[in-house]
Amino acid sequence: MNESTEVLDLGPFFHGTKAQLSVGDLLEAQNPSNFQDKKSNYIYFTATLDAAKWGAELAAGNLAERIYIVEPTGEFENDPNLTDKRFPGNPTRSYRSKAPLKIVAELASWERHSEEQIKHMLDSLKSLREQGKAIIID
C-alpha cells in the first residue's frame, strides 16, 4: 500500500458492480472479483462516473448494474491497472484499497454507455484474454 499520507483524491467515490447491496454495507477485499474468476486482494473504486459505469457494465453476473457511492475506511492507492502501465498518471481517478469501502448511497439513475461502446469494450477485452494480456495486477 501507499506509504505516503498524501490525500490522493477527495471524491466523491463510486463503485460499479452487479452486486445487490444496501446503504451501510461494506465492500471488502477477498471477495470474488467482478472481472476474474478469483478472489480479489483489493476493493476497487473510482472518482469518475464514467469509470464506475464501465465497472457496472462489465462486471460478471446476471443481476442489475448498480453504481454505489462509497467512502474509503482506510488508506488507498492509485490502481496500477489503470495508471502508468496503461495511461500516464491516473486519468480515470481509479483507486484500490485493502480496507473496506462503506456504501453511503446508490446512484438512482445513470446513463449507460451505448450498446456499441459496450460491445467494442467486451470484444477488446476478449481479444486481450486470447492474447494472454488481460492481466490484473492484484
Side-chain angles (χ1 to χ4, degrees):
M1 294 293 293
N2 187 350
E3 297 296 324
S4 171
T5 58
E6 176 185 337
V7 175
L8 295 177
D9 202 316
L10 297 176
F13 298 111
F14 306 96
H15 179 82
T17 186
K18 290 184 181 159
Q20 184 175 351
L21 303 162
S22 299
V23 171
D25 285 352
L26 295 176
L27 292 163
E28 300 181 279
Q30 298 304 318
N31 280 303
S33 169
N34 272 341
F35 306 104
Q36 291 186 324
D37 189 23
K38 70 176 199 92
K39 288 186 178 180
S40 180
N41 293 314
Y42 296 89
I43 188 72
Y44 293 83
F45 60 105
T46 179
T48 70
L49 182 55
D50 192 59
K53 290 181 348 181
W54 282 120
E57 293 160 346
L58 300 176
N62 296 320
L63 297 175
E65 298 164 351
R66 299 172 185 276
I67 296 177
Y68 296 103
I69 300 170
V70 297
E71 289 180 353
T73 64
E75 291 184 9
F76 58 92
E77 65 187 15
N78 289 315
D79 177 357
N81 297 288
L82 295 172
T83 53
D84 294 326
K85 285 197 171 220
R86 296 195 176 135
F87 306 104
N90 190 352
T92 62
R93 295 170 63 201
S94 297
Y95 305 99
R96 68 182 190 177
S97 180
K98 290 189 175 187
L101 303 176
K102 183 178 180 180
I103 296 174
V104 296
E106 181 176 350
L107 203 56
S109 65
W110 47 279
E111 187 176 332
R112 295 179 83 236
H113 290 102
S114 71
E115 291 303 320
E116 182 179 290
Q117 289 172 303
I118 294 170
K119 182 182 181 328
H120 181 266
M121 181 68 81
L122 289 170
D123 289 347
S124 296
L125 292 172
K126 180 181 177 186
S127 177
L128 286 173
R129 279 192 300 277
E130 290 170 349
Q131 296 172 43
K133 295 180 180 178
I135 298 167
I136 295 177
I137 303 164
D138 189 57

